[in-house]
Amino acid sequence: NEYIRGITKEGRIIDLEVNARVIEWNDRVAVQASFRDVTERKKLEREQARWLWEQETLTTIDRQLVAMVDLQKVLEAISHHAKTLTRADFVGVLLVDVAANCCSWRTMKGNVNPWTSVPLPLADLHGIFTGSKKPVMISNFGKNQNYPAEEFPDFARERLVSIGGFPLDVETRREGMLVVGYRNDHQFSGRELRFLASLAEKSSIAIANAKLYESLLKREKELETLSDAREEAQEEERRRI
């Protein structure tokens, strides 16, 4: 059996299964061929192959993230994978500090303007965007009254039109948001939503682990400082005595 692409009278592209054999017809050699529309079957096969590829890719990414303990490297890896596999124009990671009521960019890919990690206050709309339990989809940004451009100046400066925000949560604790954007009208496909949600879920744990590692390093340095100070105080006391 052979497979070819065909086109219907209506102009629709379809997949065809071709069966052909040589026969004798009116004392002449001829080819008898039959064509069967297998568009739906091929579609299912492609979807299955794409799903398997996604799972293998996510497993590879998961292993890479688990092996990292440097927070900035984790964030860079998340942004790289999200941009590469979705071909988005813009990808960034916002880390949220609920206690301080602020958020800050920690990495950007595809940005056309320099970015800063200076903390941004969580205004009401920012709070809705970064506090949502589900992915937030913003279409027609700049003209969307629900998300005024002045409330999201970074998105406006990057000239984004279609934006998706994917929560980075560990249990009930908000770590941040994975932000994916396009500079034209873009409808996020089911595959993109599925992939980005899975990536965000895996990334959340990696971010939490990296933060914990940073905290442990900071505590070790504090203990070293205290130990040095104590030794210096003891030495000063010996000299005084």
Side-chain angles (χ1 to χ4, degrees), residues 34-61:
S34 63
F35 298 84
R36 185 169 58 149
D37 186 348
V38 292
T39 303
E40 287 302 315
R41 191 182 79 191
K42 282 295 182 181
K43 179 181 177 182
L44 291 174
E45 289 176 356
R46 284 192 288 268
E47 288 179 353
Q48 183 181 34
R50 188 180 296 118
W51 183 85
L52 291 172
W53 174 81
E54 286 178 8
Q55 298 309 304
E56 291 174 357
T57 302
L58 286 170
T59 298
T60 301
I61 292 173

Short mmCIF file of all heavy atoms in Angstrom, two decimals, residues 34-61:
data_model
loop_
_atom_site.label_atom_id
_atom_site.label_comp_id
_atom_site.label_asym_id
_atom_site.label_seq_id
_atom_site.Cartn_x
_atom_site.Cartn_y
_atom_site.Cartn_z
N SER A 34 -7.03 1.41 -6.74
CA SER A 34 -8.15 1.83 -5.90
C SER A 34 -7.64 2.85 -4.89
O SER A 34 -6.50 2.78 -4.44
CB SER A 34 -8.78 0.64 -5.18
OG SER A 34 -7.84 0.05 -4.28
N PHE A 35 -8.49 3.81 -4.56
CA PHE A 35 -8.10 4.88 -3.64
C PHE A 35 -9.11 4.90 -2.49
O PHE A 35 -10.31 4.81 -2.71
CB PHE A 35 -8.11 6.23 -4.35
CG PHE A 35 -7.14 6.32 -5.49
CD1 PHE A 35 -7.48 5.84 -6.75
CD2 PHE A 35 -5.88 6.87 -5.30
CE1 PHE A 35 -6.59 5.92 -7.81
CE2 PHE A 35 -4.98 6.95 -6.36
CZ PHE A 35 -5.33 6.47 -7.61
N ARG A 36 -8.57 5.00 -1.28
CA ARG A 36 -9.44 5.06 -0.11
C ARG A 36 -9.06 6.26 0.75
O ARG A 36 -7.89 6.50 1.02
CB ARG A 36 -9.32 3.78 0.72
CG ARG A 36 -10.31 3.73 1.88
CD ARG A 36 -10.36 2.37 2.52
NE ARG A 36 -9.05 1.94 3.01
CZ ARG A 36 -8.90 1.14 4.07
NH1 ARG A 36 -9.96 0.68 4.71
NH2 ARG A 36 -7.70 0.78 4.46
N ASP A 37 -10.06 7.01 1.18
CA ASP A 37 -9.83 8.19 2.02
C ASP A 37 -9.49 7.72 3.45
O ASP A 37 -10.33 7.12 4.13
CB ASP A 37 -11.09 9.06 2.04
CG ASP A 37 -10.88 10.37 2.78
OD1 ASP A 37 -9.86 10.51 3.48
OD2 ASP A 37 -11.75 11.26 2.68
N VAL A 38 -8.27 7.98 3.88
CA VAL A 38 -7.83 7.58 5.23
C VAL A 38 -7.41 8.82 6.03
O VAL A 38 -6.55 8.74 6.92
CB VAL A 38 -6.66 6.57 5.15
CG1 VAL A 38 -7.12 5.24 4.56
CG2 VAL A 38 -5.50 7.15 4.33
N THR A 39 -8.05 9.93 5.73
CA THR A 39 -7.68 11.19 6.38
C THR A 39 -7.82 11.11 7.90
O THR A 39 -6.92 11.51 8.64
CB THR A 39 -8.55 12.34 5.84
OG1 THR A 39 -8.41 12.41 4.42
CG2 THR A 39 -8.14 13.66 6.45
N GLU A 40 -8.93 10.58 8.38
CA GLU A 40 -9.17 10.51 9.82
C GLU A 40 -8.15 9.60 10.50
O GLU A 40 -7.64 9.90 11.58
CB GLU A 40 -10.59 10.03 10.11
CG GLU A 40 -11.65 11.08 9.82
CD GLU A 40 -11.43 12.36 10.61
OE1 GLU A 40 -11.15 12.24 11.83
OE2 GLU A 40 -11.54 13.44 10.04
N ARG A 41 -7.86 8.46 9.85
CA ARG A 41 -6.90 7.52 10.44
C ARG A 41 -5.52 8.15 10.53
O ARG A 41 -4.84 8.03 11.54
CB ARG A 41 -6.84 6.24 9.60
CG ARG A 41 -6.07 5.11 10.30
CD ARG A 41 -6.01 3.89 9.42
NE ARG A 41 -4.97 4.04 8.40
CZ ARG A 41 -4.84 3.21 7.36
NH1 ARG A 41 -5.72 2.25 7.17
NH2 ARG A 41 -3.88 3.39 6.48
N LYS A 42 -5.11 8.83 9.47
CA LYS A 42 -3.80 9.49 9.45
C LYS A 42 -3.75 10.61 10.48
O LYS A 42 -2.71 10.84 11.12
CB LYS A 42 -3.51 10.04 8.06
CG LYS A 42 -3.06 8.98 7.06
CD LYS A 42 -1.73 8.40 7.48
CE LYS A 42 -1.21 7.38 6.51
NZ LYS A 42 0.08 6.81 6.96
N LYS A 43 -4.87 11.29 10.65
CA LYS A 43 -4.92 12.36 11.64
C LYS A 43 -4.70 11.80 13.03
O LYS A 43 -3.93 12.36 13.83
CB LYS A 43 -6.28 13.07 11.56
CG LYS A 43 -6.44 14.19 12.57
CD LYS A 43 -7.81 14.84 12.45
CE LYS A 43 -7.99 15.93 13.50
NZ LYS A 43 -9.35 16.54 13.42
N LEU A 44 -5.36 10.68 13.34
CA LEU A 44 -5.19 10.04 14.64
C LEU A 44 -3.75 9.56 14.84
O LEU A 44 -3.19 9.67 15.93
CB LEU A 44 -6.17 8.88 14.79
CG LEU A 44 -7.65 9.26 14.91
CD1 LEU A 44 -8.51 8.01 14.90
CD2 LEU A 44 -7.89 10.06 16.19
N GLU A 45 -3.17 9.00 13.77
CA GLU A 45 -1.79 8.53 13.86
C GLU A 45 -0.83 9.69 14.13
O GLU A 45 0.09 9.56 14.92
CB GLU A 45 -1.39 7.80 12.56
CG GLU A 45 -2.07 6.46 12.38
CD GLU A 45 -1.73 5.81 11.05
OE1 GLU A 45 -1.02 6.47 10.24
OE2 GLU A 45 -2.17 4.69 10.80
N ARG A 46 -1.05 10.81 13.46
CA ARG A 46 -0.19 11.98 13.67
C ARG A 46 -0.36 12.53 15.08
O ARG A 46 0.62 12.93 15.72
CB ARG A 46 -0.49 13.06 12.63
CG ARG A 46 0.07 12.76 11.24
CD ARG A 46 -0.01 13.97 10.33
NE ARG A 46 -1.37 14.26 9.93
CZ ARG A 46 -1.94 13.78 8.83
NH1 ARG A 46 -1.28 12.97 8.02
NH2 ARG A 46 -3.18 14.11 8.52
N GLU A 47 -1.60 12.55 15.56
CA GLU A 47 -1.84 13.04 16.92
C GLU A 47 -1.18 12.14 17.95
O GLU A 47 -0.61 12.61 18.94
CB GLU A 47 -3.35 13.13 17.18
CG GLU A 47 -4.03 14.27 16.43
CD GLU A 47 -5.52 14.31 16.69
OE1 GLU A 47 -6.04 13.37 17.34
OE2 GLU A 47 -6.17 15.27 16.23
N GLN A 48 -1.24 10.82 17.72
CA GLN A 48 -0.61 9.88 18.64
C GLN A 48 0.91 10.07 18.63
O GLN A 48 1.56 10.09 19.68
CB GLN A 48 -0.96 8.44 18.26
CG GLN A 48 -0.38 7.42 19.23
CD GLN A 48 -0.72 6.00 18.81
OE1 GLN A 48 -0.80 5.70 17.63
NE2 GLN A 48 -0.94 5.13 19.79
N ALA A 49 1.48 10.22 17.43
CA ALA A 49 2.93 10.42 17.32
C ALA A 49 3.34 11.74 17.99
O ALA A 49 4.37 11.80 18.67
CB ALA A 49 3.35 10.43 15.85
N ARG A 50 2.52 12.78 17.82
CA ARG A 50 2.82 14.06 18.44
C ARG A 50 2.73 13.95 19.96
O ARG A 50 3.56 14.51 20.68
CB ARG A 50 1.84 15.12 17.93
CG ARG A 50 2.19 16.54 18.38
CD ARG A 50 1.19 17.55 17.85
NE ARG A 50 1.22 17.61 16.41
CZ ARG A 50 0.20 17.31 15.62
NH1 ARG A 50 -0.94 16.91 16.15
NH2 ARG A 50 0.30 17.40 14.31
N TRP A 51 1.74 13.22 20.46
CA TRP A 51 1.59 13.03 21.90
C TRP A 51 2.78 12.29 22.48
O TRP A 51 3.31 12.67 23.54
CB TRP A 51 0.30 12.26 22.20
CG TRP A 51 0.03 12.09 23.66
CD1 TRP A 51 -0.59 12.97 24.51
CD2 TRP A 51 0.40 10.96 24.47
NE1 TRP A 51 -0.63 12.47 25.78
CE2 TRP A 51 -0.04 11.24 25.79
CE3 TRP A 51 1.04 9.76 24.21
CZ2 TRP A 51 0.17 10.35 26.84
CZ3 TRP A 51 1.25 8.87 25.26
CH2 TRP A 51 0.81 9.15 26.55
N LEU A 52 3.23 11.23 21.79
CA LEU A 52 4.39 10.49 22.26
C LEU A 52 5.63 11.37 22.27
O LEU A 52 6.44 11.32 23.21
CB LEU A 52 4.62 9.26 21.38
CG LEU A 52 3.58 8.14 21.49
CD1 LEU A 52 3.82 7.08 20.43
CD2 LEU A 52 3.62 7.51 22.89
N TRP A 53 5.77 12.19 21.24
CA TRP A 53 6.91 13.11 21.17
C TRP A 53 6.86 14.10 22.33
O TRP A 53 7.89 14.39 22.95
CB TRP A 53 6.89 13.85 19.84
CG TRP A 53 7.94 14.92 19.76
CD1 TRP A 53 9.26 14.77 19.46
CD2 TRP A 53 7.73 16.32 19.98
NE1 TRP A 53 9.90 16.00 19.49
CE2 TRP A 53 8.99 16.96 19.81
CE3 TRP A 53 6.62 17.09 20.31
CZ2 TRP A 53 9.14 18.33 19.95
CZ3 TRP A 53 6.78 18.46 20.46
CH2 TRP A 53 8.02 19.06 20.28
N GLU A 54 5.66 14.62 22.62
CA GLU A 54 5.51 15.57 23.72
C GLU A 54 5.93 14.93 25.04
O GLU A 54 6.64 15.54 25.85
CB GLU A 54 4.06 16.04 23.82
CG GLU A 54 3.65 17.02 22.75
CD GLU A 54 2.19 17.40 22.87
OE1 GLU A 54 1.55 17.01 23.88
OE2 GLU A 54 1.67 18.07 21.97
N GLN A 55 5.47 13.68 25.28
CA GLN A 55 5.80 13.00 26.54
C GLN A 55 7.30 12.77 26.66
O GLN A 55 7.88 12.95 27.73
CB GLN A 55 5.03 11.68 26.64
CG GLN A 55 3.52 11.82 26.66
CD GLN A 55 3.05 12.82 27.70
OE1 GLN A 55 3.37 12.70 28.87
NE2 GLN A 55 2.29 13.82 27.26
N GLU A 56 7.93 12.35 25.57
CA GLU A 56 9.37 12.12 25.59
C GLU A 56 10.11 13.44 25.84
O GLU A 56 11.08 13.48 26.62
CB GLU A 56 9.83 11.50 24.27
CG GLU A 56 9.35 10.07 24.06
CD GLU A 56 9.70 9.54 22.69
OE1 GLU A 56 10.27 10.31 21.89
OE2 GLU A 56 9.40 8.36 22.41
N THR A 57 9.64 14.51 25.20
CA THR A 57 10.27 15.82 25.36
C THR A 57 10.12 16.31 26.80
O THR A 57 11.08 16.80 27.41
CB THR A 57 9.64 16.84 24.40
OG1 THR A 57 9.80 16.38 23.06
CG2 THR A 57 10.30 18.20 24.55
N LEU A 58 8.92 16.18 27.36
CA LEU A 58 8.69 16.63 28.73
C LEU A 58 9.50 15.81 29.73
O LEU A 58 9.98 16.34 30.73
CB LEU A 58 7.20 16.54 29.06
CG LEU A 58 6.31 17.60 28.41
CD1 LEU A 58 4.84 17.28 28.60
CD2 LEU A 58 6.62 18.99 28.98
N THR A 59 9.65 14.52 29.45
CA THR A 59 10.47 13.68 30.34
C THR A 59 11.92 14.13 30.31
O THR A 59 12.59 14.22 31.36
CB THR A 59 10.38 12.20 29.89
OG1 THR A 59 9.02 11.77 29.99
CG2 THR A 59 11.25 11.32 30.79
N THR A 60 12.42 14.44 29.12
CA THR A 60 13.79 14.94 28.99
C THR A 60 13.96 16.26 29.72
O THR A 60 14.96 16.48 30.44
CB THR A 60 14.16 15.12 27.51
OG1 THR A 60 14.03 13.87 26.83
CG2 THR A 60 15.60 15.61 27.36
N ILE A 61 12.99 17.17 29.55
CA ILE A 61 13.04 18.46 30.23
C ILE A 61 12.99 18.27 31.74
O ILE A 61 13.72 18.94 32.49
CB ILE A 61 11.88 19.36 29.75
CG1 ILE A 61 12.08 19.74 28.29
CG2 ILE A 61 11.76 20.61 30.62
CD1 ILE A 61 10.90 20.48 27.68
#
